[in-house]
């Protein structure tokens, strides 16, 4: 029997009134839809399906929010992990325009779900991408022009160094692209809030119920490690970077990569506000980027680093602090209270990977570190498709994807070699 699963030791888990562990699935049950995975993707799918009158069972292998959704930087950002121009090259202008609009709809949906279900998750407006090098500065100016003129995205502001410094007390940056429409939230509270709303709408959620097999067919059977089963008409696969050996044909299109965050001790309101006056979220323009923001209790949550093996760096706390002090040397005296990591699922082109296997197994994964808003939308789109409206899901599903070269054992070294050039560029 599996021991009681627990969240990683993060500031998120420590600052959330965690609900009691939900039951493990132990027998055979029937449902219209079985959702595998209790992150934002799975919880949003289950919620939207239940609201449409479907009988839904959600199986989470650990705890709801245990994966990336409960560990994330929590930055809710427009667009995708790849540039919009790359999407246009992949799918053409018309779909690219729709994808752009869907990325904005994803942020609207996040705000709507939080308001509708009264989820207290510290939603805060404002986010800036910031330039460290002249080529970042040029890229931000071009991005500003592209989004404001070609996509008519209103509100986006290009900030020269002085204006950025008036909001962000770091001398590291040359300029910033500020978006008042993006923002940040407490991702574990948000995920648990969605799960609670799903349960209130009738979804049967089970924790500590890892799925070991999906028997495909007109009536799929989802089997858990302890032999319990869900007989259903449709399966939704929402395991993202944590999915293993359930659907190899989609798993090789993503690669799990570790990324890491630390939380300082509480700084006090005045000191926190002196660092980031408008309390926006920030991400720099490096390939291996730093991303950070303030928490509601006035800590700095500072994320960065990657591990292609998903093994955390030796002395994680020290490695993250070094990066934080490069941005804010004035925090030398500040203690680190928590440091943790989680896996993101990246695709080769950094666009999310949506689709169907057979006609009744739906999946959405590979948000490539850009999933806080898109995962909620993914759930809505999968629910729409299952209930008969395919259009928006199909726009996402038309993005072409290739499997990582090297198959199960060698995709990691191939990825590391492929990314080495960009990591070296960060140093120049
Ligand atoms: C440290 C970190 C920082 C991040 N920062 C940001 C950010 O600032 N902004 C942003 O937009 N994105 C960020 N991301 C990415 C974002 O958090 C993810 O894209 C998003 O949370 C993915 O949600 P999900 O529901 O698809 O997957 P997850 O939240 O990973 O959920 C998948 C769930 O499926 C379960 N599961 C897997 N296999 C099985 C199985 N066989 N049986 C049952 N259950 C199974 C897992 O236990 C897990 O709980 C970050 C991610 C990490 C790790």
């Amino acid at each position: 029997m599996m021991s009681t699963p627990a969240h990683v030791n993060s500031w998120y888990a420590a600052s959330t009134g965690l609900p009691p562990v939900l039951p493990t699935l132990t027998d055979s049950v029937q449902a219209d839809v079985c959702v595998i995975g209790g992150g934002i993707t799975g919880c949003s799918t289950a919620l939207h399906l239940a609201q449409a009158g479907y009988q839904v069972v959600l199986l989470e292998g650990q705890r709801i929010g245990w994966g990336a959704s409960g560990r994330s930087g929590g930055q809710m950002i427009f667009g995708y992990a790849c540039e919009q121009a790359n999407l246009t090259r992949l799918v053409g202008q018309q779909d690219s325009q729709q994808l752009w609009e869907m990325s904005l709809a994803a942020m609207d949906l996040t705000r709507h779900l939080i308001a509708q279900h009264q989820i207290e998750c510290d939603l805060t407006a404002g986010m800036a991408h910031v330039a460290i090098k002249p080529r970042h500065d040029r890229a931000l100016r071009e991005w500003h022009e592209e989004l404001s003129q070609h996509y008519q995205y209103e509100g986006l502001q290009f900030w020269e160094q002085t204006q950025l410094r008036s909001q962000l007390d770091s001398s590291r940056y040359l300029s910033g692209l500020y978006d008042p429409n993006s923002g940040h939230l407490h991702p574990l509270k948000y995920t648990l809030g969605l799960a609670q709303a799903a349960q209130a709408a009738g979804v049967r959620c089970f924790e500590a119920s890892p799925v070991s097999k999906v028997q495909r067919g007109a009536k799929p059977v989802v089997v858990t490690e302890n032999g319990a089963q869900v007989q259903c008409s449709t399966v939704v696969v929402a395991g993202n970077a944590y999915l293993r050996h359930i659907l190899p044909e989609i798993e090789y299109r993503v690669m799990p990569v570790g990324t890491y965050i630390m939380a300082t001790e509480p700084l006090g309101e005045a000191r926190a506000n002196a660092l980031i006056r408008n309390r926006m979220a920030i991400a720099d323009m490096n390939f291996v980027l730093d991303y950070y923001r303030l928490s509601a209790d006035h800590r700095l949550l500072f994320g960065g680093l990657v591990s292609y093996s998903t093994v955390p760096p030796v002395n994680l706390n020290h490695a993250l602090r070094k990066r934080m002090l490069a941005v804010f040397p004035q925090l030398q005296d500040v203690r680190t209270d928590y440091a943790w990591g989680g896996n993101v699922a990246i695709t080769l082109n950094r666009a999310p990977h949506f689709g169907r296997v057979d006609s009744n197994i739906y999946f959405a994964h590979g948000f490539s570190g850009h999933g806080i808003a898109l995962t909620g939308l993914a759930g809505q789109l999968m629910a729409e498709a299952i209930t008969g409206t395919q259009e928006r899901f199909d726009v996402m599903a038309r993005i072409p994807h290739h499997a990582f070269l090297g198959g199960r054992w060698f995709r990691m070294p191939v990825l590391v070699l492929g990314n080495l050039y960009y990591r070296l560029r960060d140093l120049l």
Side-chain angles (χ1 to χ4, degrees):
M1 176 134 173
M2 188 178 176
S3 58
T4 309
H7 289 281
V8 290
N9 181 25
S10 68
W11 173 76
Y12 295 132
S15 57
T16 303
L18 294 171
V21 182
L22 294 168
T24 297
L25 183 71
T26 52
D27 46 17
S28 211
V29 297
Q30 312 243 345
D32 298 322
V33 182
C34 178
V35 176
I36 303 171
I40 303 169
T41 304
C43 293
S44 169
T45 313
L47 170 62
H48 285 98
L49 284 168
Q51 286 173 332
Y54 280 59
Q55 295 287 325
V56 184
V57 167
L58 183 150
L59 299 176
E60 165 53 50
Q62 305 284 332
R63 299 216 58 188
I64 303 282
W66 174 89
S69 300
R71 313 176 188 203
S72 172
Q75 301 200 7
M76 178 182 84
I77 311 171
F78 61 76
Y80 297 83
C82 61
E83 286 167 22
Q84 198 60 34
N86 287 349
L87 284 175
T88 309
R89 271 191 288 279
L90 287 169
V91 298
Q93 187 58 52
Q94 198 179 335
D95 272 9
S96 175
Q97 177 74 37
Q98 256 194 288
L99 287 167
W100 165 254
E101 282 160 18
M102 281 204 267
S103 90
L104 302 185
M107 294 199 291
D108 286 344
L109 177 68
T110 309
R111 282 185 281 265
H112 170 75
L113 289 169
I114 290 169
Q116 186 184 26
H117 302 291
Q118 296 172 14
I119 303 173
E120 285 179 17
C121 60
D122 310 332
L123 179 64
T124 306
M127 188 270 156
H129 293 274
V130 290
I132 300 175
K133 300 169 184 146
R135 72 179 159 79
H136 296 160
D137 176 74
R138 286 193 298 277
L140 284 184
R141 288 172 196 275
E142 284 164 18
W143 206 12
H144 181 222
E145 190 181 311
E146 181 197 14
L147 296 181
S148 320
Q149 293 185 10
H150 300 303
Y151 292 91
Q152 285 81 45
Y153 187 41
E154 287 173 5
L156 205 55
Q157 299 165 30
F158 184 84
W159 287 353
E160 301 288 352
Q161 191 172 42
T162 321
Q163 192 171 3
L164 180 64
R165 283 292 298 267
S166 72
Q167 297 298 334
L168 177 62
D169 190 16
S170 172
S171 58
R172 190 163 160 78
Y173 307 113
L174 301 177
S175 58
L177 187 60
Y178 175 71
D179 179 28
N181 192 32
S182 299
H184 56 96
L185 51 75
H186 187 307
L188 181 57
K189 287 185 179 173
Y190 174 54
T191 311
L192 291 172
L194 289 180
Q196 212 176 15
Q199 289 172 85
V203 175
R204 287 170 285 166
C205 292
F206 297 90
E207 292 185 317
S209 303
V211 170
S212 57
K213 192 166 49 172
V214 176
Q215 291 169 3
R216 289 151 70 164
K219 287 273 172 195
V221 180
V222 178
V223 184
T224 66
E225 273 180 13
N226 66 2
Q229 297 187 348
V230 182
Q231 290 153 4
C232 55
S233 303
T234 305
V235 178
V236 169
V237 180
N240 204 36
Y242 292 95
L243 198 67
R244 297 281 184 281
H245 317 310
I246 306 292
L247 284 176
E249 61 262 63
I250 68 161
E251 288 170 38
Y252 299 153
R253 308 223 166 190
V254 298
M255 167 87 199
V257 170
T259 173
Y260 303 91
I261 307 185
M262 55 164 279
T264 64
E265 64 181 305
L267 303 173
E269 189 170 355
R271 193 169 181 191
N273 286 345
L275 291 180
I276 309 174
R277 207 142 301 133
N278 63 355
R279 300 188 77 99
M280 63 186 169
I282 289 129
D284 76 30
M285 293 286 286
N286 268 334
F287 183 69
V288 179
L289 75 167
D290 293 333
Y291 51 96
Y292 51 91
R293 65 192 182 89
L294 297 170
S295 66
D297 67 350
H298 313 301
R299 298 166 190 269
L300 181 68
L301 306 183
F302 192 95
L305 306 173
V306 293
S307 162
Y308 294 110
S309 64
T310 69
V311 176
V314 185
N315 203 342
L316 176 60
N317 182 355
H318 175 77
L320 281 168
R321 272 188 79 83
K322 207 169 140 199
R323 291 190 80 122
M324 176 189 79
L325 291 173
V327 177
F328 295 122
Q330 62 271 48
L331 295 185
Q332 189 73 51
D333 62 313
V334 166
R335 197 181 64 226
T336 304
D337 277 353
Y338 302 90
W340 68 94
N343 295 345
V344 297
I346 62 168
T347 58
L348 263 178
N349 59 20
R350 306 294 188 270
H353 182 212
F354 284 44
R356 304 169 189 80
V357 177
D358 307 333
S359 58
N360 56 0
I361 302 178
Y362 287 76
F363 64 87
H365 64 172
F367 302 95
S368 304
H370 200 105
I372 280 296
L374 291 173
T375 44
L377 181 76
Q380 189 186 48
L381 297 188
M382 286 195 280
E384 268 177 26
I386 291 165
T387 57
T389 307
Q390 313 282 333
E391 283 76 12
R392 292 202 307 162
F393 181 84
D394 283 345
V395 174
M396 285 283 187
R398 280 200 289 271
I399 303 174
H401 287 276
H402 296 288
F404 280 92
L405 289 173
R408 184 166 164 191
W409 301 112
F410 296 109
R411 61 188 165 154
M412 195 263 279
V414 169
L415 177 76
V416 173
L417 281 176
N419 286 341
L420 198 56
Y421 164 75
Y422 295 101
R423 301 192 70 173
L424 288 172
R425 252 177 37 132
D426 283 351
L427 302 174
L428 299 176

